[in-house]
Amino acid sequence: MLYTGHAAWKAALEGGGGGGEGAGGMVRSWWMSVILLGFLCVSTVRADALLSAPLNVTVKEIEVNSAMVTWETLEGDPVIGFAITQQKKDVRTLRFIQEVNTTTRSCALWGLDEDTEYIVHVQSISMGGSSPPSDPVLFRTPKESEKLASKSPDEVTMEEVDQAAQLRAGEVIIIAVVLVMWAGVIALFCRQYDIIKDNEPNNNKDKAKNSSECSTPEHPQGGLLRSNV
């Protein structure tokens, strides 16, 4: 008996025809394996395809040697980390930054060159792989002179406040040490002056005594004593 088309496949899967039962079981197992493998592949591809590229990538707080990159992700994306590609506009050298096991949506860029244009891409990372890169973002770091010129006279950073406080503290310590030294010198001078003052009357008495002993004795009646020859 001949089987054609769908009837033949059905007969093979059902194991019809006596000795064909073993062959039908093998065909059934093979098809189940193919279907399962295809399902796993499709699930993995769909999981990676559902991970969207980061949105609203922004570069802010641009300084001479640093900047801050921020972005957003779609709610529900199984994001476990991020990857950032940093590149100078006219240079092929890339800098790759990657971090996993984090929910942060920002990253600081350090060691930048002043007055240089950079291109930044951001990717989300999941257990199944990485998302497509975001749209490129171009930014330029300012010159040191431009940054200083753009700062208003009244604008003071926390670092400058700390430096000023440290300088004031150092000045206060130096002034205090100088005052203590001057006070010690003045106290020593006053003490020496008191000692000299106390010894001055004794010196006058000694001088008077010595002068009286060295002077010529006078006669009780007012005349000078003369020796008789």
Side-chain angles (χ1 to χ4, degrees), residues 65-86:
N65 303 116
S66 64
M68 178 68 69
V69 182
T70 61
W71 63 90
E72 298 177 359
T73 58
L74 291 179
E75 185 176 358
D77 279 359
V79 178
I80 63 170
F82 64 87
I84 295 178
T85 304
Q86 169 191 317

Side-chain angles (χ1 to χ4, degrees), residues 173-194:
I173 293 174
I174 294 174
I175 293 173
V177 171
V178 172
L179 290 177
V180 169
M181 292 178 62
W182 272 107
V185 171
I186 293 173
L188 181 62
F189 175 79
C190 292
R191 182 178 179 184
Q192 293 295 330
Y193 180 78
D194 292 339

Side-chain angles (χ1 to χ4, degrees), residues 158-173:
M158 292 301 298
E159 183 178 357
E160 291 173 343
V161 170
D162 294 339
Q163 291 178 353
Q166 293 176 0
L167 290 175
R168 290 197 202 96
E171 292 174 354
V172 169
I173 293 174

Side-chain angles (χ1 to χ4, degrees), residues 6-49:
H6 180 69
W9 286 107
K10 183 177 180 180
L13 291 174
E14 291 177 353
E21 183 177 356
M26 292 179 61
V27 171
R28 188 185 302 111
S29 300
W30 183 80
W31 274 107
M32 290 296 292
S33 301
V34 171
I35 293 172
L36 180 61
L37 181 61
F39 176 77
L40 292 176
C41 293
V42 170
S43 299
T44 303
V45 171
R46 289 191 62 190
D48 291 343

Side-chain angles (χ1 to χ4, degrees), residues 53-63 65-73 81-87 95-99 102-112 118-124 133-141:
L55 305 173
N56 300 327
V57 179
T58 307
V59 180
K60 56 186 180 180
E61 300 179 17
I62 302 175
E63 302 292 338
N65 303 116
S66 64
M68 178 68 69
V69 182
T70 61
W71 63 90
E72 298 177 359
T73 58
F82 64 87
I84 295 178
T85 304
Q86 169 191 317
Q87 177 186 8
R95 180 184 180 188
F96 190 71
I97 304 172
Q98 180 174 321
E99 187 173 348
T102 180
T103 57
T104 184
R105 299 293 181 265
S106 63
C107 179
L109 305 178
W110 300 96
L112 305 180
Y118 288 90
I119 301 174
V120 172
H121 296 85
V122 182
Q123 290 177 276
S124 296
S134 65
D135 294 333
V137 177
L138 177 67
F139 71 95
R140 186 183 70 86
T141 56

